[in-house]
Amino acid sequence: EVIDAEGCTVAPGLVDTHVHFRDPGLTYKEDVATGAASAAAGGYTTVICMANTKPPLDDAEALKDLRRRESDLPIHVLNTACVTRGMKGQELTDMDALKAAGAIGFTDDGLPIKDVKLMMRAMERARELGVPISLHEEDPDLIGSPGINQGRISKEVGVPGAPAVAEETLMARDCLLALHTGARVNIQHLSSGVSVEVLRLMKRLGADVWAEVTPQHFSLNEEIVLEKGTLAKVNPPIRTEEDRYQLIRGLKEGVIDIIATDHAPHASEEKAQDLLHAPSGMIGLETALALGITNLVRKGHLTLLELLEKMTARPAELYGLSCGSLREGGDADLVVFDERESWTVGSRFFSKSSNSPFTGMTLYGRVKHTLCGGRVVYTDGKDVR
Ligand code: NCD
Ligand code: ZN
Ligand code: ZN
């Protein structure tokens, strides 16, 4: 088969360190097959699933079963497992058994671990096992607090969500624990400008700390909720224009290593509830590359190569993955895209869900083909959603 890549960029397949495929237990929102199709359409050939499934992925046998089902998907779907049993923050999982069953790291995404000694023990074990811990940093005790450093609009509209200080305090603590344990820690979906400065300091002190930023946090500011309502409700909340600017600066200066989607599908009936009751999260796999090209590359913040590094080589390095095209002699894991082609985001996706605040927006950069393991797994216009 001949692939026409005239005028296109050919890059390693994208790697996403942060997706929710809801499998098992919440498969009315997404399952590993629809999640993989959504990923392939977005140019991704490797994704790492979060463990807040139903039940949470805290058991080696359940992980083995999931790994079997993931083995014949068109792209590489990998898993992190829970740090604590039932994601309750009280007792560590059998991290050795979970790693042996295929976990490439640990996370309790959605629920932060308040117990500092437990967190320290988890980091020590992860270091011994040679895998990273990925953390959702949001101190629940500060949610609904007076809203110190919460933006003007969030305050006015009453968007539920943690103020920036809830992220900053916990991520500072965990960076310090990383420094003292030697663990590799990934701060997930960094959202505040102050967090970027804390991270900068911690890296300078020698902590093995990494951070993700999502396309929604570098593309949008808090005003989006006025227009999009619950579709713009996400954890952490979309913050101020100043925060957005600092996140972009963090990307540009190399303080933030990774662009990850936090692809979080929810059913339309769930998102049809009011701002207080609708679940948090938005899908992201099918718009991430175009948001990076439109809002980072075309605005002159990053070169295309810098963008691609944060969507391929850096995330692979965090987890020690040597996937496809990032390895000499490996099978072709590739994305072919046209940087200049513009398109308008529709309301239907390969994902089972369609909770995107980007529907209706015109973006630059269109995925033409995705190849994984040497096979074409997606072609623009050929695969129909
Ligand atoms: C996540 C989800 O839906 O699983 N939602 C989100 O807004 N990012 C969980 C979470 O991180 O709160
Ligand atoms: Zn999270
Ligand atoms: Zn998440």
Side-chain angles (χ1 to χ4, degrees):
E1 190 180 355
V2 177
I3 293 168
D4 182 7
E6 176 86 41
C8 288
T9 302
V10 181
L14 307 181
V15 179
D16 193 349
T17 54
H18 190 161
V19 304
H20 298 270
F21 281 1
R22 311 299 192 200
D23 202 336
L26 296 164
T27 51
Y28 66 94
K29 300 175 195 247
E30 195 81 285
D31 58 45
V32 285
T34 57
S38 180
Y44 286 90
T45 53
T46 301
V47 298
I48 300 171
C49 296
M50 294 298 112
N52 64 339
T53 48
K54 205 172 167 183
L57 197 60
D58 65 356
D59 172 74
E61 288 312 310
L63 176 55
K64 279 183 203 158
D65 177 62
L66 183 58
R67 295 296 303 142
R68 271 190 291 273
R69 291 194 293 117
E70 287 166 347
S71 64
D72 36 51
L73 293 170
I75 64 150
H76 311 293
V77 176
L78 306 173
N79 299 90
T80 46
C82 293
V83 185
T84 67
R85 284 191 196 282
M87 257 175 45
K88 292 199 167 86
Q90 282 162 6
E91 196 190 337
L92 296 187
T93 52
D94 186 342
M95 294 167 72
D96 295 60
L98 285 163
K99 192 196 168 196
I104 60 161
F106 293 89
T107 172
D108 274 9
D109 185 21
L111 270 188
I113 297 163
K114 288 293 298 269
D115 182 336
V116 65
K117 280 189 182 154
L118 191 75
M119 189 73 251
M120 194 138 177
R121 278 204 288 126
M123 284 192 194
E124 273 163 0
R125 199 70 204 110
R127 189 206 59 222
E128 285 158 10
L129 289 169
V131 294
I133 286 201
S134 288
L135 297 170
H136 168 114
E137 304 289 32
E138 185 178 83
D139 187 336
D141 290 350
L142 289 168
I143 298 179
S145 72
I148 330 158
N149 63 11
Q150 200 172 333
R152 179 181 60 85
I153 291 178
S154 326
K155 266 191 231 161
E156 279 171 22
V157 193
V159 191
V165 65
E167 171 180 294
E168 294 151 4
T169 50
L170 220 50
M171 69 79 71
R173 180 200 76 171
D174 289 336
C175 287
L176 286 168
L177 295 181
L179 178 67
H180 289 286
T181 59
R184 171 169 288 190
V185 167
N186 174 33
I187 310 293
Q188 298 192 282
H189 48 48
L190 207 76
S191 68
S192 115
V194 170
S195 298
V196 177
E197 291 313 302
V198 173
L199 188 72
R200 189 194 304 273
L201 171 66
M202 295 299 171
K203 286 187 165 196
R204 209 169 66 216
L205 292 172
D208 191 5
V209 286
W210 300 54
E212 303 167 353
V213 68
T214 72
Q216 52 270 27
H217 289 97
F218 69 64
S219 298
L220 306 171
N221 67 34
E222 53 176 350
E223 295 192 29
I224 192 70
V225 75
L226 299 175
E227 190 189 333
K228 298 282 180 172
T230 62
L231 285 178
K233 183 181 177 186
V234 65
N235 280 327
I238 307 291
R239 303 198 189 278
T240 65
E241 182 61 13
E242 171 67 15
D243 287 310
R244 187 177 85 88
Y245 171 78
Q246 295 298 343
L247 291 172
I248 292 175
R249 203 162 69 105
L251 281 167
K252 203 189 314 213
E253 293 172 355
V255 180
I256 297 172
D257 311 276
I258 291 168
I259 293 171
T261 65
D262 191 13
H263 179 84
H266 293 292
S268 34
E269 309 82 69
E270 296 172 312
K271 279 292 189 182
Q273 301 169 85
D274 61 27
L275 260 184
L276 190 66
H277 298 97
S280 299
M282 48 182 72
I283 56 169
L285 285 163
E286 294 168 57
T287 48
L289 179 61
L291 287 166
I293 290 169
T294 306
N295 296 322
L296 298 174
V297 177
R298 290 178 66 96
K299 296 274 160 67
H301 300 303
L302 297 185
T303 64
L304 183 60
L305 206 59
E306 286 166 339
L307 174 72
L308 290 172
E309 192 189 3
K310 290 177 197 297
M311 298 181 86
T312 60
R314 298 292 284 161
E317 191 188 339
L318 166 66
Y319 282 94
L321 305 174
S322 58
C323 31
S325 310
L326 297 168
R327 181 181 74 234
E328 233 185 276
D331 285 333
D333 287 359
L334 296 172
V335 56
V336 179
F337 63 92
D338 185 342
E339 192 192 344
R340 294 155 311 176
E341 185 174 331
S342 69
W343 57 289
T344 300
V345 182
S347 52
R348 294 190 61 207
F349 296 87
F350 287 88
S351 169
K352 215 179 260 192
S353 294
S354 55
N355 53 312
S356 170
F358 299 106
T359 293
M361 294 188 195
T362 296
L363 304 176
Y364 286 88
R366 180 130 184 123
V367 175
K368 297 311 229 175
H369 304 276
T370 307
L371 285 79
C372 189
R375 291 192 312 122
V376 178
V377 293
Y378 171 77
T379 300
D380 182 24
K382 187 169 152 215
D383 303 84
V384 279
R385 63 199 81 180

PDB file of all heavy atoms in Angstrom, residues 18 20 50 52 109-110 136 188-189 235 262 264, ligand 3:
ATOM      1  N   HIS A  18      -2.074  10.038  29.607  1.00  0.00           N
ATOM      2  CA  HIS A  18      -3.210  10.289  30.511  1.00  0.00           C
ATOM      3  C   HIS A  18      -4.558  10.208  29.790  1.00  0.00           C
ATOM      4  O   HIS A  18      -5.050  11.207  29.274  1.00  0.00           O
ATOM      5  CB  HIS A  18      -3.017  11.679  31.134  1.00  0.00           C
ATOM      6  CG  HIS A  18      -3.957  11.998  32.245  1.00  0.00           C
ATOM      7  ND1 HIS A  18      -3.703  12.993  33.161  1.00  0.00           N
ATOM      8  CD2 HIS A  18      -5.152  11.486  32.609  1.00  0.00           C
ATOM      9  CE1 HIS A  18      -4.691  13.068  34.027  1.00  0.00           C
ATOM     10  NE2 HIS A  18      -5.597  12.167  33.704  1.00  0.00           N
ATOM     11  N   HIS A  20      -8.647   8.226  30.041  1.00  0.00           N
ATOM     12  CA  HIS A  20      -9.610   7.426  30.815  1.00  0.00           C
ATOM     13  C   HIS A  20     -10.459   6.635  29.820  1.00  0.00           C
ATOM     14  O   HIS A  20     -11.300   7.218  29.148  1.00  0.00           O
ATOM     15  CB  HIS A  20     -10.513   8.346  31.643  1.00  0.00           C
ATOM     16  CG  HIS A  20      -9.772   9.169  32.658  1.00  0.00           C
ATOM     17  ND1 HIS A  20      -9.554   8.734  33.943  1.00  0.00           N
ATOM     18  CD2 HIS A  20      -9.183  10.391  32.573  1.00  0.00           C
ATOM     19  CE1 HIS A  20      -8.865   9.656  34.614  1.00  0.00           C
ATOM     20  NE2 HIS A  20      -8.627  10.680  33.802  1.00  0.00           N
ATOM     21  N   MET A  50      -5.712   5.555  32.827  1.00  0.00           N
ATOM     22  CA  MET A  50      -5.793   5.812  34.257  1.00  0.00           C
ATOM     23  C   MET A  50      -6.616   4.714  34.928  1.00  0.00           C
ATOM     24  O   MET A  50      -7.394   4.011  34.287  1.00  0.00           O
ATOM     25  CB  MET A  50      -6.435   7.176  34.512  1.00  0.00           C
ATOM     26  CG  MET A  50      -5.568   8.324  34.022  1.00  0.00           C
ATOM     27  SD  MET A  50      -3.982   8.382  34.893  1.00  0.00           S
ATOM     28  CE  MET A  50      -2.874   7.940  33.577  1.00  0.00           C
ATOM     29  N   ASN A  52      -8.957   4.869  37.405  1.00  0.00           N
ATOM     30  CA  ASN A  52     -10.220   5.140  38.112  1.00  0.00           C
ATOM     31  C   ASN A  52     -11.412   4.518  37.385  1.00  0.00           C
ATOM     32  O   ASN A  52     -12.403   5.165  37.090  1.00  0.00           O
ATOM     33  CB  ASN A  52     -10.421   6.651  38.317  1.00  0.00           C
ATOM     34  CG  ASN A  52     -10.574   7.428  37.024  1.00  0.00           C
ATOM     35  OD1 ASN A  52     -10.169   6.963  35.951  1.00  0.00           O
ATOM     36  ND2 ASN A  52     -11.165   8.603  37.091  1.00  0.00           N
ATOM     37  N   ASP A 109      -5.531   8.709  39.954  1.00  0.00           N
ATOM     38  CA  ASP A 109      -6.083   9.929  39.350  1.00  0.00           C
ATOM     39  C   ASP A 109      -7.539  10.134  39.750  1.00  0.00           C
ATOM     40  O   ASP A 109      -8.354   9.238  39.649  1.00  0.00           O
ATOM     41  CB  ASP A 109      -6.002   9.906  37.823  1.00  0.00           C
ATOM     42  CG  ASP A 109      -6.466  11.232  37.226  1.00  0.00           C
ATOM     43  OD1 ASP A 109      -6.451  12.238  37.949  1.00  0.00           O
ATOM     44  OD2 ASP A 109      -6.855  11.253  36.055  1.00  0.00           O
ATOM     45  N   GLY A 110      -7.827  11.338  40.185  1.00  0.00           N
ATOM     46  CA  GLY A 110      -9.166  11.676  40.620  1.00  0.00           C
ATOM     47  C   GLY A 110      -9.231  11.800  42.122  1.00  0.00           C
ATOM     48  O   GLY A 110     -10.055  12.530  42.652  1.00  0.00           O
ATOM     49  N   HIS A 136      -2.655  13.182  40.645  1.00  0.00           N
ATOM     50  CA  HIS A 136      -3.697  14.198  40.487  1.00  0.00           C
ATOM     51  C   HIS A 136      -3.662  15.015  41.777  1.00  0.00           C
ATOM     52  O   HIS A 136      -4.028  14.522  42.832  1.00  0.00           O
ATOM     53  CB  HIS A 136      -5.039  13.472  40.301  1.00  0.00           C
ATOM     54  CG  HIS A 136      -6.248  14.328  40.406  1.00  0.00           C
ATOM     55  ND1 HIS A 136      -7.083  14.567  39.345  1.00  0.00           N
ATOM     56  CD2 HIS A 136      -6.790  14.995  41.452  1.00  0.00           C
ATOM     57  CE1 HIS A 136      -8.085  15.344  39.732  1.00  0.00           C
ATOM     58  NE2 HIS A 136      -7.937  15.617  40.999  1.00  0.00           N
ATOM     59  N   GLN A 188       0.219  15.374  37.198  1.00  0.00           N
ATOM     60  CA  GLN A 188      -0.730  15.325  36.081  1.00  0.00           C
ATOM     61  C   GLN A 188      -1.503  16.635  35.952  1.00  0.00           C
ATOM     62  O   GLN A 188      -1.702  17.361  36.918  1.00  0.00           O
ATOM     63  CB  GLN A 188      -1.674  14.141  36.277  1.00  0.00           C
ATOM     64  CG  GLN A 188      -0.888  12.828  36.275  1.00  0.00           C
ATOM     65  CD  GLN A 188      -1.787  11.609  36.166  1.00  0.00           C
ATOM     66  OE1 GLN A 188      -2.395  11.197  37.127  1.00  0.00           O
ATOM     67  NE2 GLN A 188      -1.852  11.050  34.982  1.00  0.00           N
ATOM     68  N   HIS A 189      -1.922  16.902  34.778  1.00  0.00           N
ATOM     69  CA  HIS A 189      -2.698  18.097  34.413  1.00  0.00           C
ATOM     70  C   HIS A 189      -2.426  19.346  35.272  1.00  0.00           C
ATOM     71  O   HIS A 189      -3.291  19.877  35.929  1.00  0.00           O
ATOM     72  CB  HIS A 189      -4.196  17.809  34.314  1.00  0.00           C
ATOM     73  CG  HIS A 189      -4.824  17.047  35.458  1.00  0.00           C
ATOM     74  ND1 HIS A 189      -4.632  17.357  36.766  1.00  0.00           N
ATOM     75  CD2 HIS A 189      -5.680  15.991  35.448  1.00  0.00           C
ATOM     76  CE1 HIS A 189      -5.329  16.535  37.520  1.00  0.00           C
ATOM     77  NE2 HIS A 189      -5.966  15.695  36.752  1.00  0.00           N
ATOM     78  N   ASN A 235     -11.628  18.820  35.716  1.00  0.00           N
ATOM     79  CA  ASN A 235     -10.637  18.882  36.797  1.00  0.00           C
ATOM     80  C   ASN A 235      -9.257  18.846  36.201  1.00  0.00           C
ATOM     81  O   ASN A 235      -9.000  17.974  35.387  1.00  0.00           O
ATOM     82  CB  ASN A 235     -10.768  17.675  37.732  1.00  0.00           C
ATOM     83  CG  ASN A 235     -11.900  17.845  38.714  1.00  0.00           C
ATOM     84  OD1 ASN A 235     -12.204  18.937  39.140  1.00  0.00           O
ATOM     85  ND2 ASN A 235     -12.529  16.733  39.051  1.00  0.00           N
ATOM     86  N   ASP A 262      -5.719  13.949  29.099  1.00  0.00           N
ATOM     87  CA  ASP A 262      -6.714  13.704  30.158  1.00  0.00           C
ATOM     88  C   ASP A 262      -8.084  13.433  29.513  1.00  0.00           C
ATOM     89  O   ASP A 262      -9.112  13.912  29.990  1.00  0.00           O
ATOM     90  CB  ASP A 262      -6.784  14.866  31.153  1.00  0.00           C
ATOM     91  CG  ASP A 262      -7.612  14.527  32.394  1.00  0.00           C
ATOM     92  OD1 ASP A 262      -7.931  13.334  32.610  1.00  0.00           O
ATOM     93  OD2 ASP A 262      -7.947  15.454  33.142  1.00  0.00           O
ATOM     94  N   ALA A 264     -11.346  12.362  29.008  1.00  0.00           N
ATOM     95  CA  ALA A 264     -12.267  11.926  30.071  1.00  0.00           C
ATOM     96  C   ALA A 264     -13.708  11.927  29.557  1.00  0.00           C
ATOM     97  O   ALA A 264     -14.462  12.884  29.756  1.00  0.00           O
ATOM     98  CB  ALA A 264     -12.121  12.836  31.289  1.00  0.00           C
TER      99      ALA A 264
HETATM  100 ZN    ZN B   3      -7.498  12.285  34.470  1.00  0.00          ZN
END
